Amino acid sequence: MAAEFERRTAGRLPEHFAAHVQAALQSVCEKGEKIATRKASQNSIEILAQVLPELVGGSADLTPSNLTDWSNSVAVTRENGGNYIHYGVREFGMAAVMNGMALHGGVKPFGATFLMFSEYARNALRMAALMKINPVFVFTHDSIGLGEDFTPRTNLLNRLPLCA
């Protein structure tokens, strides 16, 4: 347990992280699916959560739409710990909390909202950039006016070097 604690607080990835991700990418390339980008994002979170126990996610009241939960996500509640935070309609608060978690260390925070709501989190986003910290901000589709799903008309996977 001490070694795992030290790894996480030092910000090091697990020993077999690269091999796990490479195998997942190979599987994705072989399938060649055409899926919505938000579904591809959820699939990525699912893969990363398998090898990153320090992953802590959340959403600003849009989890069903931006697909940021995963099979082993557990909601953080007052009574219990967990690894998924339901922030409510609080984009700025979500981004600020993620910044705090990133500065504390030991966890890898990510949070999601629609791209158009990034304006509400602008000050916390700016602070993350100025402090050179690395919480992961997931901005899914821009708005319902532009559609929830973007599925490329051409197979973008064949154009990416990782699937060459």
Side-chain angles (χ1 to χ4, degrees):
M1 286 176 61
E4 179 65 10
F5 175 78
E6 288 175 0
R7 179 193 69 76
R8 291 185 195 186
T9 55
R12 292 190 312 268
L13 293 171
E15 186 176 327
H16 302 290
F17 180 82
H20 180 80
V21 170
Q22 187 59 42
L25 287 173
Q26 182 64 33
S27 175
V28 167
C29 291
E30 288 171 4
K31 287 181 185 177
E33 292 178 302
K34 292 184 179 182
I35 59 176
T37 52
R38 65 191 179 127
K39 183 60 181 167
S41 174
Q42 185 181 43
N43 292 349
S44 299
I45 293 167
E46 186 73 44
I47 290 164
L48 293 172
Q50 293 171 8
V51 290
L52 287 177
E54 61 266 36
L55 193 65
V56 175
S59 180
D61 202 35
L62 296 165
T63 300
S65 187
N66 58 31
L67 301 178
T68 47
D69 56 348
W70 64 97
S71 59
N72 291 319
S73 62
V74 176
V76 172
T77 65
R78 184 176 298 181
E79 296 79 26
N80 299 310
N83 56 10
Y84 195 83
I85 303 169
H86 294 276
Y87 289 99
V89 186
R90 295 176 189 89
E91 282 81 1
F92 173 74
M94 175 182 73
V97 167
M98 290 167 50
N99 288 349
M101 287 191 286
L103 286 167
H104 179 275
V107 296
K108 183 63 180 166
F110 78 88
T113 190
F114 293 179
L115 178 61
M116 64 183 285
F117 297 144
S118 65
E119 287 296 311
Y120 300 129
R122 183 188 316 167
N123 292 331
L125 293 170
R126 183 180 295 125
M127 288 305 299
L130 289 171
M131 292 186 289
K132 298 181 181 175
I133 57 175
N134 59 353
V136 177
F137 299 100
V138 179
F139 298 116
T140 61
H141 51 292
D142 191 37
S143 68
I144 63 170
L146 294 179
E148 292 186 349
D149 294 325
F150 168 73
T151 304
R153 292 180 188 207
T154 60
N155 187 350
L156 292 178
L157 292 177
N158 292 334
R159 296 183 185 175
L160 296 174
L162 55 95
C163 290

